[in-house]
Amino acid sequence: MNSIKNVPARVLSRRPGHSLEAEREQFDKTQAISISKAINSQEAPVKEKHARRIILGTHHEKGAFTFWSYAIGLPLPSSSILSWKFCHVLHKVLRDGHPNVLHDCQRYRSNIREIGDLWGHLRDQYGHLVNVYTKLLLTKISFHLKHPQFPAGLEVTDEVLEKAAGTDVNNIFQLTVEMFDYMDCELKLSESVFRQLNTAIAVSQMSSGQCRLAPLIQVIQDCSHLYHYTVKLMFKLHECLPADTLQGHRDRFHEQFHSLKNFFRRASDMLYFKRLIQIPRLPEGPPNFLRASALAEHIKPVVVIPEEAPEDEEPENLIEISSGPPAGEPVVVADLFDQTFGPPNGSVKDDRDLQIENLKREVESLRAELEKIKMEAQRYVSQLKGQVNALEAELEEQRKQKQKALVDNEQLRHELAQLKAMQLEGARNQGLREEAERKASATEARYSKLKEKHNELINTHAELLRKNADTAKQLTVTQQSQEEVARVKEQLAFQMEQVRRESEMKMEEQSDQLEKLKMELAARAGELAHAQEALSRTEQSGSELSSRLDTLSAEKDALSGAVRQREAELLAAQSLVREKEEALSQEQQRSSQEKGELQGRLAEKEAQEQGLRQKLLDEQFEVVRSAAAEAEAILQDAVSKLDDPLHLRCTSSPDYLVSRAQAALDTVSALEKSHTQYLTSSEDASALVAALSRFSHLAADTIVNGGATSHLAPTDPADRLIDTCRECGARALELMGHLQDRTVLPRAQPSLMRAPLQGILQLGQDLKPKSLDVRQEELGAMVDKEMAATSAAIEDAVRRIEDMMNQARHESSGVKLEVNERILNSCTDLMKAIRLLVMTSTSLQKEIVESGRGAATQQEFYAKNSRWTEGLISASKAVGWGATQLVESADKVVLHMGKYEELIVCSHEIAASTAQLVAASKVKADKHSPHLSRLQECSRTVNERAANVVASTKSGQEQIEDRDTMDFSGLSLIKLKKQEMETQVRVLELEKTLEAERVRLGELRKQHYVLAGVMGSPGEGEPSRPSPAPRSSAAKKPPLAQKPSIAPRPDNQLNKKDGVYPAQLVNY
């Protein structure tokens, strides 16, 4: 045992200096002891109590820090057993430990990988297991870290699974692939463990075997959950994606299903697992994901672990060493030999043997009482252990409550710290709010200033507009003032002129009164001076007005310049507009020219398209005309066969005629539809050509087979059938002629072909035999009943052969016993092979029904394929009858009441019957079906077992029969000659008898064929042959009915004496 003496420094550094230090030290010490006891180099399984303490430790500290602190110091590279047990403990810790263990293990992925790589390169048995185990652990850690919805124990509800999968089909697809990888790692570990175990001994009760098997308990738990989840996800995928896309998923699931089922089966057979875990049973076959209703049939596998597994229990001794001295072994061996094969030479046991048997029975009874006492003692011990465990659980519960109180205290402290942090955060938020308010007020002030500036700009703009209006008004006033000044000047000039005239007039009138007027002149001179002063003042104001007028004129000139500049810009814009208009007109002219060119090209293209379309129509009609001509030639050839003398040798069955007529009748609807489509759209004649090809071939086949069927039919039905076939051919040829003429093609009526085809179909139905008709709804029940009866007959045969073998061992001895055992063993092997063949045939039959019935029921499928169903019934009856006859012949041979030749004949008959069953099952099976390959392999096995029966019978016959030695030394020449003549006579008699028996065998076979032919003959007692299966291809003409391989009679007539008989197999 590897003990950890020194506690790692990393663990000591984590110990706080408070009142829990002592408890922490005790916890570390307990964990160190448990880890050292659980992970050691002894080849024994990990004890449950040590692993449980380690798991409780992870819940105690809410992680795996202490576990990894000690695990890192273990010398894992030095011992493969130590590494194997480390992986086992780590697996249990991951499954049942605290959820934080997963994150702690993520930090040590490199250590786990290094341990696996190290032991993977070394040639060591445990080393290989460690390499596989580490890969599983790494896959487990990666999966649960990627999908935290799944705990490490993999136990979730269906609702959580649906939520984890989601609705995205890509996520569901990826999750399914990851679960497949997870399951592969689990199954690979189980296969590696079983591969190293020695199946010849009870390894599950040895410490070395238990050391390897112990981790498989966790593997079983993981696999049960993974299997359930993959089934759910596969059904969900098949709801969203097509079946062909998920073929790889289904193949991978089926492989894992069979591996998992084999793993659970082998584990269930081991005593070690029976007392530790209850392993679920998987169904016989995987779920059928192609059928959605199969999800309701799925049952979730549940793994049950007992509440308290037995600990420190010594392995039981499977061999009772002290049961007797070694010298008694030969007696036991002899006794077993006598019990198996009976006493030699059929002698009766003596008294000593009886006493030995009595003593053995007493020993067995005492041994049973001893076992009962041991079981009671073990039950008492288990009860006491249960009480101890209950007390330990209470103590652990109190510790958990204490730990919970400490955790609550820590949580309260944490909440208080969070409240303080929230207060600080609130104060900081208050400061931020005040700062935001200040920023808002500053922003508002800035906005008000901007608003004032905006108002000032608006006022300034309004003032400028007012000034502009005042300036315009002043300009108007100035102009009015100039006009007023001009008017004043004119008035003054007029007044001066008037004054001057008045003065001259006064001077002329008052020349004589000069004196008098001088005084007045002086006065007038004064007035004139005053007037001149006023005039000067008026001229001064006029100059001021002139200067002001000049200023206004300058402003007017400036405004006139601006107006001229605006007018120049307007002229430039008008010239640019005129240029644009000219360019636009040119572009319009060019566009009109291009439009005219394009219209011309379009008209040319339309003319070309019209020509091409007409050419296409002509070519399509030519294709139709060629197809109709070819169909007319085919139909003409078929009609000519009705009058061909060579065709009288050809025969056909009514069943095949009905199948051909029905197929031809089905093509009439397709021909009508394609004809209507061609009339609607004459550009595509592909559908009409295909329908014509298929109709012509099937109609010709119907006509030819109708004529062949009429050769074996009575006179009146045969004449009606020939006439109906001629009518069918005439209408078909008329239809083909209409389809070759374009003017008559629209008036063609394919529906007129229904009446003659229905007449042929009805005549074929009337010609079918009526004596052995079975209701179609009863065929399915008859198949199941006959297959079940065959299986029961074979089981009964095997049981009777075993009874005969036991009887032969008691009643025979020596060479006879050897011969009887050899023959009965070969018969038993043959019956087992036949039973396996019947079971495989039943599975193949179910597969054929499931794959071929579609939406129809099973009974409808059997009714639709009635001939095939009757073949199965006939074959299964023959197999059951052959098995019964073989058992009866073997019974007579063992009792010396029968002949060995009967066994040989029965063996040949069974081989022929099984070949018939295989042929009947093979007709409708898929050539790639695994059931078909297994059925063929079983058929070969049956042939080999039948050959073994024949060989055993012949060799036994040679051993049993007494062969007289030919001693002719005491005979004279005359006696020798006499015996020679008698022997020749005997030889001639035997040859004659042999010839007669062969003739009798031939007659019996003829009668058998006649009776078997009633099921398939078209008339009463007239034989027929199975017609070939209809071919699916419409591109080739179906072959005509086969001709019998016999020489013709002189009168070209055949009867039953010519040896033409139908085969036993029917048309499928």
Side-chain angles (χ1 to χ4, degrees):
M1 181 183 297
N2 297 306
S3 60
I4 302 174
K5 298 180 180 180
N6 298 322
V7 179
R10 287 177 293 177
V11 179
L12 294 176
S13 63
R14 295 178 67 250
R15 297 177 178 175
H18 51 75
S19 60
L20 297 177
E21 183 177 2
E23 184 179 354
R24 180 64 189 182
E25 289 180 357
Q26 181 64 26
F27 170 74
D28 292 340
K29 181 178 179 181
T30 304
Q31 289 293 302
I33 294 173
S34 300
I35 293 172
S36 62
K37 287 183 178 181
I39 307 174
N40 52 52
S41 59
Q42 294 181 359
E43 193 173 7
V46 177
K47 292 188 176 180
E48 187 65 27
K49 59 181 180 180
H50 302 318
R52 184 169 60 250
R53 289 173 184 170
I54 296 173
I55 293 170
L56 292 176
T58 61
H59 288 281
H60 179 77
E61 64 173 356
K62 293 182 176 58
F65 182 83
T66 303
F67 170 76
W68 278 106
S69 300
Y70 290 114
I72 288 299
L74 294 173
L76 299 179
S78 63
S79 174
S80 58
I81 297 177
L82 192 69
S83 302
W84 171 253
K85 299 177 80 171
F86 163 73
C87 293
H88 183 195
V89 174
L90 180 59
H91 195 176
K92 294 175 73 69
V93 169
L94 282 172
R95 276 190 55 83
D96 303 328
H98 194 271
N100 294 334
V101 171
L102 194 64
H103 298 281
D104 294 338
C105 294
Q106 172 66 15
R107 293 193 289 270
Y108 295 94
R109 286 177 58 92
S110 58
N111 301 82
I112 301 173
R113 185 181 293 105
E114 289 174 0
I115 293 299
D117 294 341
L118 171 66
W119 288 109
H121 296 302
L122 300 178
R123 295 185 177 179
D124 184 84
Q125 291 186 349
Y126 275 101
H128 175 67
L129 296 179
V130 170
N131 178 258
V132 177
Y133 210 161
T134 52
K135 292 179 181 178
L136 169 60
L137 294 176
L138 293 174
T139 303
K140 186 179 184 68
I141 294 172
S142 301
F143 177 83
H144 292 290
L145 287 175
K146 185 177 181 180
H147 303 283
Q149 302 91 340
F150 295 93
L154 284 172
E155 187 171 358
V156 296
T157 60
D158 292 343
E159 290 77 10
V160 177
L161 177 63
E162 292 286 341
K163 184 178 180 181
T167 57
D168 190 359
V169 67
N170 295 321
N171 295 336
I172 302 174
F173 192 93
Q174 183 63 28
L175 180 60
T176 308
V177 172
E178 293 175 359
M179 286 196 173
F180 280 154
D181 296 338
Y182 200 164
M183 178 73 83
D184 284 338
C185 295
E186 301 276 2
L187 294 176
K188 186 176 181 182
L189 177 62
S190 64
E191 292 174 358
S192 301
V193 170
F194 282 126
R195 196 179 299 117
Q196 292 189 8
L197 296 179
N198 186 4
T199 57
I201 59 177
V203 293
S204 63
Q205 295 302 312
M206 300 173 64
S207 59
S208 59
Q210 292 178 358
C211 183
R212 291 181 172 88
L213 293 174
L216 297 187
I217 296 177
Q218 283 72 42
V219 174
I220 293 172
Q221 292 175 311
D222 290 345
C223 288
S224 64
H225 293 297
L226 289 175
Y227 168 75
H228 176 64
Y229 299 153
T230 51
V231 170
K232 290 283 189 179
L233 294 176
M234 284 291 289
F235 275 107
K236 194 174 184 65
L237 278 177
H238 279 76
E239 293 177 358
C240 304
L241 295 176
D244 295 339
T245 306
L246 300 173
Q247 181 62 40
H249 273 45
R250 288 197 300 274
D251 295 341
R252 191 172 182 185
F253 177 84
H254 291 168
E255 182 180 356
Q256 288 186 354
F257 173 80
H258 294 299
S259 300
L260 182 62
K261 185 175 180 181
N262 187 30
F263 168 42
F264 282 2
R265 179 183 57 78
R266 295 183 65 178
S268 300
D269 296 337
M270 293 187 176
L271 296 176
Y272 176 72
F273 291 110
K274 290 183 178 179
R275 60 191 182 88
L276 295 177
I277 187 172
Q278 182 179 347
I279 302 174
R281 296 178 62 88
L282 296 181
E284 292 298 328
N288 185 8
F289 299 112
L290 302 179
R291 185 167 54 89
S293 60
L295 179 60
E297 302 172 1
H298 170 67
I299 300 176
K300 179 180 179 182
V302 179
V303 177
V304 179
I305 302 292
E307 295 182 358
E308 185 66 24
E311 301 176 0
D312 301 336
E313 189 174 34
E314 293 296 331
E316 298 178 0
N317 292 325
L318 296 180
I319 301 175
E320 188 69 18
I321 300 175
S322 61
S323 61
E329 290 180 359
V331 178
V332 176
V333 172
D335 187 43
L336 292 175
F337 182 83
D338 292 343
Q339 291 180 1
T340 305
F341 300 101
N345 299 327
S347 60
V348 184
K349 296 183 179 180
D350 54 4
D351 296 337
R352 184 173 58 185
D353 295 333
L354 297 176
Q355 291 178 1
I356 291 174
E357 291 180 358
N358 294 331
L359 290 175
K360 284 183 179 179
R361 285 195 292 270
E362 292 177 1
V363 169
E364 291 296 333
S365 62
L366 293 175
R367 188 176 297 169
E369 292 179 0
L370 180 60
E371 290 296 332
K372 187 183 297 183
I373 294 171
K374 286 183 179 180
M375 290 176 63
E376 291 179 357
Q378 188 176 1
R379 186 167 63 252
Y380 292 149
V381 171
S382 300
Q383 291 178 358
L384 293 175
K385 286 184 178 181
Q387 295 178 2
V388 171
N389 292 331
L391 294 176
E392 289 182 354
E394 292 179 0
L395 180 59
E396 190 66 29
E397 185 66 24
Q398 292 179 0
R399 289 180 180 176
K400 287 182 180 179
Q401 291 179 359
K402 180 179 179 181
Q403 185 67 22
K404 184 177 181 182
L406 294 175
V407 171
D408 294 340
N409 190 12
E410 291 293 333
Q411 289 180 353
L412 291 175
R413 291 180 181 177
H414 182 65
E415 291 177 358
L416 181 60
Q418 287 181 349
L419 290 175
K420 291 182 179 180
M422 290 173 64
Q423 289 179 356
L424 294 175
E425 185 70 20
R428 186 164 59 253
N429 291 335
Q430 183 68 22
L432 292 175
R433 187 174 65 79
E434 293 177 356
E435 184 178 357
E437 290 179 353
R438 287 195 299 272
K439 289 181 179 181
S441 60
T443 304
E444 188 176 357
R446 192 180 299 111
Y447 174 74
S448 61
K449 289 180 180 180
L450 290 174
K451 189 174 182 181
E452 291 176 359
K453 290 289 184 181
H454 180 67
N455 293 329
E456 290 178 359
L457 290 174
I458 291 174
N459 295 329
T460 305
H461 182 67
E463 186 68 24
L464 291 175
L465 291 176
R466 284 194 297 272
K467 287 182 178 181
N468 188 14
D470 293 341
T471 303
K473 289 179 180 179
Q474 289 178 2
L475 179 60
T476 304
V477 171
T478 303
Q479 291 177 356
Q480 293 177 358
S481 300
Q482 288 179 356
E483 293 175 356
E484 184 69 25
V485 169
R487 236 181 1 262
V488 169
K489 282 183 179 182
E490 290 177 356
Q491 289 177 0
L492 289 175
F494 178 72
Q495 289 177 1
M496 288 178 65
E497 184 66 27
Q498 188 176 5
V499 168
R500 186 179 63 79
R501 286 177 182 177
E502 288 179 355
S503 299
E504 288 178 354
M505 288 174 67
K506 286 182 178 181
M507 287 179 67
E508 291 176 354
E509 290 177 355
Q510 295 178 358
S511 57
D512 57 357
Q513 296 179 359
L514 182 60
E515 290 299 333
K516 192 186 295 184
L517 288 176
K518 286 183 180 178
M519 293 176 65
E520 291 180 0
L521 182 60
R524 295 291 183 187
E527 293 177 359
L528 182 59
H530 291 295
Q532 288 179 347
E533 290 177 358
L535 181 60
S536 61
R537 286 194 298 272
T538 303
E539 290 178 352
Q540 185 177 359
S541 62
S543 63
E544 290 178 356
L545 290 175
S546 297
S547 62
R548 188 173 180 181
L549 182 60
D550 294 336
T551 304
L552 292 175
S553 299
E555 292 180 357
K556 181 180 179 182
D557 295 335
L559 291 174
S560 300
V563 169
R564 286 192 297 273
Q565 184 178 0
R566 293 294 182 185
E567 289 177 351
E569 291 178 356
L570 180 60
L571 292 175
Q574 289 177 353
S575 64
L576 183 61
V577 169
R578 285 193 297 271
E579 292 177 358
K580 292 293 184 181
E581 289 177 352
E582 292 175 356
L584 181 60
S585 63
Q586 293 177 0
E587 185 67 26
Q588 288 178 353
Q589 293 177 359
R590 188 167 59 254
S591 299
S592 62
Q593 293 177 359
E594 291 179 356
K595 182 178 179 181
E597 293 176 358
L598 291 175
Q599 287 178 351
R601 292 180 183 177
L602 180 60
E604 184 179 357
K605 291 290 184 182
E606 288 178 352
Q608 292 179 358
E609 182 180 356
Q610 187 67 23
L612 292 174
R613 187 172 183 275
Q614 185 62 35
K615 184 178 180 181
L616 176 61
L617 294 177
D618 295 338
E619 290 177 353
Q620 292 295 320
F621 175 74
E622 185 63 26
V623 171
V624 173
R625 191 191 64 77
S626 301
E630 181 65 20
E632 183 179 11
I634 294 173
L635 291 168
Q636 186 64 42
D637 180 72
V639 173
S640 65
K641 288 292 190 297
L642 298 176
D643 300 326
D644 190 1
L646 297 178
H647 189 256
L648 295 174
R649 300 175 58 190
C650 298
T651 60
S652 180
S653 65
D655 291 329
Y656 187 70
L657 176 62
V658 168
S659 65
R660 294 293 85 195
Q662 185 63 46
L665 192 60
D666 294 338
T667 58
V668 174
S669 299
L671 183 60
E672 286 182 315
K673 182 178 179 182
S674 60
H675 179 257
T676 305
Q677 291 179 356
Y678 179 74
L679 293 179
T680 304
S681 176
S682 302
E683 298 176 357
D684 185 11
S686 58
L688 181 57
V689 171
L692 275 175
S693 177
R694 183 168 180 81
F695 169 76
S696 62
H697 283 84
L698 291 175
D701 196 11
T702 302
I703 293 170
V704 172
N705 283 281
T709 304
S710 67
H711 298 159
L712 294 178
T715 304
D716 292 338
D719 294 338
R720 290 198 301 272
L721 184 58
I722 288 293
D723 294 337
T724 309
C725 291
R726 293 183 189 277
E727 181 185 359
C728 179
R731 291 193 180 183
L733 291 174
E734 182 182 1
L735 177 62
M736 296 303 113
H738 290 171
L739 293 177
Q740 295 181 49
D741 189 359
R742 177 173 290 183
T743 58
V744 187
L745 189 146
R747 295 194 297 273
Q749 296 181 1
S751 59
L752 297 178
M753 293 300 305
R754 280 199 176 89
L757 288 175
Q758 288 176 352
I760 295 174
L761 180 64
Q762 184 62 37
L763 289 173
Q765 294 285 355
D766 296 336
L767 290 175
K768 291 174 65 175
K770 306 297 188 296
S771 58
L772 297 179
D773 286 347
V774 181
R775 288 188 301 172
Q776 293 183 346
E777 59 270 15
E778 298 176 358
L779 286 176
M782 288 183 63
V783 172
D784 297 336
K785 181 179 179 181
E786 290 300 331
M787 296 300 289
T790 302
S791 300
I794 293 172
E795 293 290 343
D796 183 67
V798 172
R799 184 166 56 255
R800 289 182 59 186
I801 289 174
E802 291 178 354
D803 295 337
M804 286 189 289
M805 187 178 294
N806 294 331
Q807 184 178 0
R809 288 171 179 170
H810 287 86
E811 297 178 1
S812 303
S813 63
V815 177
K816 292 184 179 180
L817 177 60
E818 180 183 356
V819 171
N820 292 337
E821 285 184 347
R822 186 163 60 248
I823 293 174
L824 293 177
N825 287 331
S826 61
C827 292
T828 302
D829 296 339
L830 177 59
M831 289 298 106
K832 292 181 179 178
I834 294 174
R835 178 174 58 185
L836 182 60
L837 183 136
V838 172
M839 294 171 61
T840 309
S841 176
T842 303
S843 302
L844 179 60
Q845 172 195 342
K846 293 180 179 178
E847 179 183 348
I848 292 171
V849 173
E850 289 297 327
S851 62
R853 68 185 180 90
T857 62
Q858 183 176 357
Q859 301 296 333
E860 292 175 353
F861 177 81
Y862 283 127
K864 182 180 179 181
N865 302 273
S866 59
R867 305 295 291 174
W868 175 71
T869 306
E870 292 172 2
L872 279 179
I873 294 172
S874 175
S876 59
K877 284 182 178 180
V879 172
W881 179 82
T884 304
Q885 290 298 119
L886 180 67
V887 173
E888 292 177 358
S889 300
D891 191 11
K892 292 179 181 179
V893 169
V894 172
L895 297 177
H896 309 292
M897 297 171 60
K899 298 179 181 181
Y900 290 97
E901 288 78 9
E902 294 179 1
L903 274 178
I904 297 175
V905 173
C906 288
S907 300
H908 290 306
E909 183 64 26
I910 285 180
S913 301
T914 53
Q916 180 181 353
L917 181 60
V918 171
S921 301
K922 186 179 178 180
V923 170
K924 287 189 174 293
D926 185 8
K927 63 180 181 179
H928 301 294
S929 174
H931 291 291
L932 178 59
S933 59
R934 285 197 293 271
L935 181 63
Q936 293 174 346
E937 183 179 355
C938 292
S939 177
R940 290 191 291 269
T941 305
V942 168
N943 292 332
E944 293 174 0
R945 297 292 188 270
N948 291 337
V949 172
V950 173
S952 301
T953 304
K954 289 182 178 181
S955 62
Q957 184 179 8
E958 291 175 358
Q959 290 180 354
I960 295 299
E961 291 179 353
D962 295 330
R963 295 190 177 184
D964 297 334
T965 59
M966 298 182 184
D967 186 10
F968 305 118
S969 58
L971 297 177
S972 62
L973 181 61
I974 300 300
K975 290 183 178 181
L976 284 174
K977 189 65 176 176
K978 183 179 180 181
Q979 289 188 7
E980 181 182 354
M981 293 177 63
E982 293 176 353
T983 304
Q984 288 180 357
V985 171
R986 180 63 176 167
V987 168
L988 292 175
E989 291 177 353
L990 292 177
E991 288 179 352
K992 184 177 180 181
T993 305
L994 177 61
E995 186 66 26
E997 291 297 329
R998 283 179 176 172
V999 173
R1000 176 180 172 80
L1001 177 61
E1003 294 297 329
L1004 289 173
R1005 287 179 176 174
K1006 289 181 182 180
Q1007 186 63 23
H1008 178 264
Y1009 291 154
V1010 170
L1011 293 177
V1014 174
M1015 297 177 62
S1017 61
E1020 295 180 0
E1022 295 185 3
S1024 178
R1025 260 186 327 279
S1027 58
R1031 301 173 60 179
S1032 60
S1033 174
K1036 297 181 180 180
K1037 182 178 178 180
L1040 300 179
Q1042 297 181 0
K1043 300 178 181 179
S1045 57
I1046 61 172
R1049 293 177 58 87
D1051 55 353
N1052 291 329
Q1053 297 298 324
L1054 299 177
N1055 53 29
K1056 291 189 284 187
K1057 294 183 179 181
D1058 292 321
V1060 182
Y1061 299 98
Q1064 294 184 36
L1065 293 179
V1066 295
N1067 180 28
Y1068 302 109

